[in-house]
């Protein structure tokens, strides 16, 4: 039945055969976030996911892409039609970005990864190709497997292909820097705040939209301090913290060491790692059951645990 | 019955033992007047806004706190009885219809709006809060809750979470899943668990994300942290008329292709426009084959660039009229017309069946042609009003249920509409959910292995089919054996 | 039981549920049996499926305020008010509702002198603190009355029963305003003692029909009949439906809410300096949901006060509901709390309400209510 509705892709079948149904297995992308979730068990077979953009329909704002494709290649193709996705540009692959589930530091302008994955096809622990979700932005047809798989670090299935929502690249983007404007006031002053990065001294803010709207935003910001144009920053590095946005108003209390905070979002890129409380018992129970349901023999990405940063 | 007896009966209602240990246990944990067992209530809560009969409610509980929901869940476990949550009962896919005389948990008394946490961009609300009440509460602070389903004046936040509700403005803003940061739930095992969090990347699997849209099958939401969306200072609402539905549909595709994501793009065909105009008098042109309601919002600066571009694209697609709402009153009236469209058809015939599928935008025109042809084949009146920007179709079959054999034709046409949508690369539901309505079509979209994985997800929350059994997954999958559920357990419900 | 409900009317409801938030009893209870959709479902169950008339079913019917706030919210135009009146009529005929004491309480309404005696007694009793506060009756019932004199015969002013006994000052103000616009007014006084609205609510429609016929006979002419009580006006505008005759229809067409009529004759009303007040408009249900002429209250009031403010509760009922606040004091009190909150959000100096029931019910909760005619009258007097 399903075959009539979904493209039959021999590359995915081949991937499913490689994953098989026995033995510990892990999928590597470009290993840019290889340490997330803890060290991989040593005797694990490491495979690569299939590559290539399968279908890009700009007017539907969707792209079907195999997991092994690099985000860079994907975004290069989309840029030709004035679009991008929420996936972070950090040198990794599409599958890796989806499995890790972390957002780009420009998330306020690009959207979040979990909302961007409309359909996922993955190889199950039994070696079967499974499809969840669908190719449309709006979809409540059954349980949301794309949301489950996104950010699951490959512990529930081996991601083979995704359909991603694309978004138009804004007509204008402009980065400004300031050393005397309060970053929280900047966030409050803008109707649709773009990324705001703050290291305790300097604030970098990205404005985006129509040129006149950006110009008007700049006027709004002038009352808050002095701003200068600056180059677009590269992705901040360091240990990744996730805190409620309000907690950023007292970063010192967090003991992050040197930091770059994403104001209004709550991500902090810091010198020190974040120590996080364990999941509460009820949530842990669901996690354990989930893992047991999807991977009864614990063969998928052994050693990795979601929640270890 | 004498007046005095009736008085005693009313005062004493619930305090005496009911003869049913389940009811007695529920009354012991809730105040007795919040456990209803009379036939009138049970028949009433056996239905929702859908056309599906066959529901059968057991005791109906009206909890007022998370702890009471936990208590109810524990009683349900002791008695091995299923639990079905219910908000305003406006669902159209039968998701809230109780099967097998389960305990119905109506959250309509859990309706307080708690802390507005501006620093974290959320408000904590109980599941029985009405969507529009929430937005009205937030408006003076400069915010709103973005999902705005047509039923927003009555539907609850709990129901929005259960169905991942959308609405016209989710084109730009996203559906409920993008607007809920955290949910406190009572799991089917009776644990209180916080899903998600106020931080942007909470640890673990995205349990929050998968709970949203799960139609009450993974537990009961008891508190929801909804995201605050800043109100837009400027809005432009455009009304475009077309001589064909195809021109309207093509305009929608072209707008998106031009890199514009308007706040909303809604299309109504001529029949529905006439009904709406008759009902609201909003100034919709009734001589056009289709009207497109497009809205852009944001900062004042630059807003006309998008509005002008949409008008231009409309004209390029043969728009016969382009009008911009002059003020907020006209804008509100146009939206009132759009949002009451489904009800307005009742002037034409007493019954309607509202469908909900999603197709690629580029397929809109072809699928609509097919839908009109299906209606003709079955000798049915069909109207179309839809979230065109999302490709979310809402074909509306209008009929009189008293006509002999009409229901069979309505259901047959409905099935063909679903097939036509799937054949065009679409999905089963954009916002109404699967409920009991579309279970039997799930295997048209998913393989057995796919459905098995969905069931695994469900089992991780609910290994024993406690929460809203008989929904979403089709027959043959766990928790879905409706035949069995429809044989009501013996006892006072028999 | 056959409730004698029109099957087509009953079938118009498609259970969409859009009425729920517009129902005051659903709003305060969250219980669907206390909603229009629920009540219609129960009507069907009783009439079509012979469901037993249990305490719960009767309670559902009896707790309806009959504000008809659900009607404008209903996209299918279900004639809910008529369905509920018919249901109550049938149930009253079968002795299922309206206990005798309640009928007794309604009897004096068609006999003004009895009501005056009764309400004077009530006023005295109130001052002696004999009336329980939970009954929600205003603490300012007047003790003495002055007669109303005709000033001409351009229009009738319907003085009714409750209004005349409890708020004759409103009639006086209304008469002065109409006179200021250059029209002569004939108060109906004992000519037409009662419109029958409360009897209709209670399901006593034979009595209602009798009162309607009395009134039509007494006010025979083509003069407009102005009504300063929204509930009475709504009932009188419904005589056409109630009696089903062309005479009754013609009579109903002569009935105007006083604000409605004045809005049509605004040009004749002197313009004076506005009162220095922020006034919130509280729309009586029978003006907004039934007569649908609530906008005219704003039209006539706006020139005479500093600022008019709107409540943000979609015109939800205040819980007065004719005799409802006396019969269901607990629910009526909860409904009123919502209204008082909505009023407090706007911080007005005064609340204009064109219905005596609403005014008294709200005043009992400390809300400064005043009839729109009294405000206009004050502005005119002040000038």
């Amino acid at each position: 039945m399903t075959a009539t509705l979904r493209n039959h892709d021999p590359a995915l079948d081949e991937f499913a055969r490689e994953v098989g149904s026995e033995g510990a297995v892990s999928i590597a992308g470009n290993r840019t976030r290889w340490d997330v979730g803890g060290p991989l068990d040593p005797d694990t077979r490491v495979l690569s996911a299939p590559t290539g953009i399968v279908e890009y329909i700009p007017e539907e704002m969707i792209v079907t892409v195999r997991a092994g494709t690099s985000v860079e290649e994907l975004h290069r193709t989309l840029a030709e039609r004035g679009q991008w996705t929420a996936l972070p540009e950090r040198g990794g692959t599409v599958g890796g970005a989806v499995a890790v589930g972390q957002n780009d530091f420009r998330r306020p302008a690009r959207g979040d990864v979990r909302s961007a994955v409309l359909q996922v096809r993955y190889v199950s622990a039994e070696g079967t190709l499974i499809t969840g979700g669908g190719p449309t932005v709006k979809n409540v047809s059954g349980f949301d497997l794309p949301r489950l798989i996104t950010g699951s670090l490959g512990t529930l299935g081996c991601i083979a292909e995704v359909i991603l929502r694309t978004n138009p690249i804004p007509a204008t983007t402009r980065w400004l820097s300031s050393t005397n404007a309060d970053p929280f006031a900047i966030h409050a002053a803008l109707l649709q705040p773009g990324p705001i990065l703050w290291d305790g001294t300097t604030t970098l803010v990205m404005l985006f939209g129509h040129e006149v709207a950006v110009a008007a935003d700049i006027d709004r910001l002038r009352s808050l301090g002095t701003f200068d144009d600056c180059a677009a920053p590269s992705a901040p590095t360091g240990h990744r913290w996730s805190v409620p946005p309000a907690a950023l108003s007292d970063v010192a209390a967090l003991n992050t060491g040197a930091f770059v905070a994403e104001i209004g979002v709550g991500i902090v890129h810091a010198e020190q790692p974040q120590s996080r409380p364990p999941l509460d018992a009820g949530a842990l129970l669901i996690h354990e059951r989930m893992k047991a349901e999807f991977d009864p023999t614990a063969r998928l990405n052994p050693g990795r645990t979601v929640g270890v940063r | 019955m004498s007046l005095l007896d009736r008085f005693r009966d009313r005062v004493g209602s619930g305090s005496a033992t009911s003869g049913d240990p389940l009811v007695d246990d529920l009354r012991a944990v809730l105040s007795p007047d919040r456990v209803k067992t009379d036939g009138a209530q049970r028949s009433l809560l056996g239905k929702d806004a859908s056309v599906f009969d066959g529901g059968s409610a057991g005791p109906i509980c009206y909890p007022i706190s998370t702890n009471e929901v936990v208590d109810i869940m524990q009683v349900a476990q002791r008695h091995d009885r299923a639990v079905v949550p219910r908000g305003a009962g406006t669902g159209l896919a039968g998701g809230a219809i109780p099967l097998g005389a389960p305990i119905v948990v109506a959250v309509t008394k859990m309706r307080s709006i708690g802390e507005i946490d501006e620093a974290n961009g959320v408000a904590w609300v109980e599941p029985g809060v009405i969507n529009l009440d929430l937005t009205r509460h937030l408006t003076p602070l400069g915010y709103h809750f973005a999902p705005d389903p047509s039923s927003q004046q009555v539907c609850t936040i709990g129901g929005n979470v259960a169905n991942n509700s959308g609405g016209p403005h989710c084109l730009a803003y996203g559906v409920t899943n993008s607007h809920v940061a955290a949910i406190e739930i009572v799991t089917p095992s009776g644990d209180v668990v916080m899903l998600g969090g106020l931080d942007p990347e909470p640890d673990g699997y995205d349990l929050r994300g998968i709970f949203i849209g799960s139609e009450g099958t993974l537990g009961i939401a008891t508190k929801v942290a909804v995201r605050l969306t800043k109100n837009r200072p400027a809005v432009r609402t455009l009304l475009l008329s077309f001589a064909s539905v195809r021109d309207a549909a093509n305009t929608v595709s072209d707008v998106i292709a031009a890199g514009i994501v308007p706040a909303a793009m809604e299309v109504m065909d001529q029949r529905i426009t006439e009904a709406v105009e008759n009902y609201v008098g909003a100034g919709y042109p009734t001589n056009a084959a289709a009207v497109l309601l497009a809205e852009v919002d944001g900062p004042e600066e630059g807003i006309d660039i998008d509005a002008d571009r949409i008008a231009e694209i409309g004209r390029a697609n043969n728009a016969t009229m382009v009008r911009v709402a002059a003020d907020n009153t006209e804008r509100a009236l146009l939206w009132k017309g759009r949002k009451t469209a489904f009800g307005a058809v009742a002037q034409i015939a007493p019954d309607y069946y509202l469908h909900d599928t999603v197709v690629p935008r580029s397929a809109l025109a072809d699928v609509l042609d097919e839908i009109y042809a299906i209606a003709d084949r079955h000798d049915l009146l069909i109207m179309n009003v839809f979230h065109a920007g999302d490709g979310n179709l809402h074909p509306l079959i209008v009929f009189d249920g008293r006509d002999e054999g009409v229901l069979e034709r309505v259901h047959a046409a409905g099935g063909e509409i679903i097939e036509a949508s799937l054949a065009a690369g679409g999905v089963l539901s954009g916002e109404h959910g699967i409920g009991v309505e579309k279970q039997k079509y799930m295997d048209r979209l998913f393989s057995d292995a796919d459905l098995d994985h969905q069931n695994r997800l469900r089992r991780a929350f609910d290994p024993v089919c406690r929460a809203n059994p008989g929904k979403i997954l089709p027959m043959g999958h766990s928790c879905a054996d409706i035949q069995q559920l429809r044989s009501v357990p013996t006892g006072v419900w028999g | 039981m056959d409730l004698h409900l029109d099957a087509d009317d009953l079938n118009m409801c498609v259970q969409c549920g859009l009425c729920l938030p517009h129902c005051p009893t659903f709003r305060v209870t969250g219980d669907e049996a206390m909603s229009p959709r629920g009540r219609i479902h129960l009507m069907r169950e009783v009439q079509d499926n012979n469901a037993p008339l249990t305490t719960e079913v009767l309670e559902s019917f009896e707790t309806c305020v009959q504000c008809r706030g659900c009607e404008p919210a209903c996209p299918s135009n279900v004639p809910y008010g008529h369905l509920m009146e018919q249901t109550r009529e049938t149930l009253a005929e079968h002795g299922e509702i309206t206990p005798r004491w309640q009928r007794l309480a309604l009897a004096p309404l068609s006999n003004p002198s009895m009501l005056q005696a009764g309400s004077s007694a009530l006023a005295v009793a109130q001052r002696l603190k004999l009336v329980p506060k939970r009954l929600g009756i205003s603490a300012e019932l007047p003790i003495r009355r002055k007669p109303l004199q005709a000033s001409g015969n351009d229009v009738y002013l319907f003085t009714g029963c409750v209004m005349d006994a409890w708020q004759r000052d409103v009639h006086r103000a209304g008469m002065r305003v109409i006179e200021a616009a250059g029209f002569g007014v004939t108060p109906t006084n004992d000519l037409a003692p009662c419109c029958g609205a409360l009897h209709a609510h209670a399901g006593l429609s034979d009595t209602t029909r009798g009162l309607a016929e009395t009134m039509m006979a007494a006010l025979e002419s083509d003069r407009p009949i102005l009504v300063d009580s929204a509930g009475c006006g709504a009932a009188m505008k419904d005589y056409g439906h109630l009696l089903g005759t062309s005479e009754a229809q013609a009579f109903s067409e002569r009935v105007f809410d006083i604000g409605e009529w004045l809005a049509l004759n605004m040009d004749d009303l002197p313009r004076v300096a506005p009162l220095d007040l922020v006034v919130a408009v509280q729309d009586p249900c029978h003006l907004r949901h039934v007569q649908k002429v609530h906008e005219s209250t704003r039209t006539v009031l706006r020139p005479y006060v500093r600022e008019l403010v709107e409540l943000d509760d979609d015109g939800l009922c205040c819980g007065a509901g004719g005799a409802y606040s006396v019969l269901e004091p607990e629910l009526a009190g909860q409904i009123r709390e919502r209204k008082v909150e909505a009023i407090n959000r706007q911080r007005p100096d005064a609340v204009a309400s064109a219905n005596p029931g609403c005014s008294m019910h709200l005043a009992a909760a400390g809300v400064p209510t005043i009839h729109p005619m009294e405000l206009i009258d004050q502005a005119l007097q002040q000038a």
Side-chain angles (χ1 to χ4, degrees), chain A residues 6 14 22 41 51-52 57 85 94 136 146 151 159 162 215 291 303:
Chain A
R6 310 220 186 264
E14 175 56 30
E22 279 171 27
D41 280 4
T51 59
I57 316 176
T85 73
V94 169
T136 59
I159 302 170
V162 289
K291 176 70 178 172

Side-chain angles (χ1 to χ4, degrees), chain B residues 1 3 6 9-10 13 36-45 47-51 53 62 86-91 106-109 111 130 132-133 136 150-154 279 336 339-340 342-347 349-352 402, chain C residues 7-8 11-22 26-35 37-39 41-42 44-45 53-59 62-63 71-77 95-97 99-101 312-314 328 338:
Chain B
M1 189 190 277
L3 186 63
R6 193 172 291 154
D9 185 51
R10 188 183 292 198
S13 170
K36 310 267 186 180
T37 59
D38 59 289
Q41 279 262 355
R42 288 192 289 118
S43 74
L44 178 55
L45 296 200
K47 308 184 85 150
D48 60 8
S50 70
V51 297
D53 289 325
Y62 289 91
R86 180 183 177 95
T90 54
V107 298
T108 40
K109 284 183 195 285
R111 55 193 159 177
I130 292 173
L132 188 58
D133 284 1
R136 285 191 176 157
S150 295
S151 58
Q152 74 176 135
Q153 58 167 312
V154 52
Y279 175 55
K336 184 180 179 193
K339 290 197 173 185
T340 51
F342 304 131
V345 302
Q347 304 158 49
D351 299 294
Y352 65 77
R402 291 165 295 184
Chain C
D8 286 340
N11 271 330
M12 287 171 78
C13 174
V14 295
Q15 309 158 191
C16 68
L18 287 181
C19 53
L20 264 56
H22 301 277
F26 176 75
R27 274 290 188 169
V28 300
T29 62
D31 181 343
E32 278 195 47
M34 304 253 185
S35 75
R37 175 169 72 173
R39 291 181 175 116
H41 174 81
L42 295 182
R44 283 176 173 162
E45 287 288 296
L53 286 167
T54 59
T55 312
E56 288 83 2
V57 171
L58 292 175
E59 189 175 20
E62 284 190 299
T63 50
E71 287 188 5
C74 176
S76 306
N77 295 324
E96 295 286 351
I97 59 166
R100 182 165 294 170
W101 66 269
D312 60 3
D313 63 355
D314 286 329
E328 300 281 350
R338 284 188 66 95

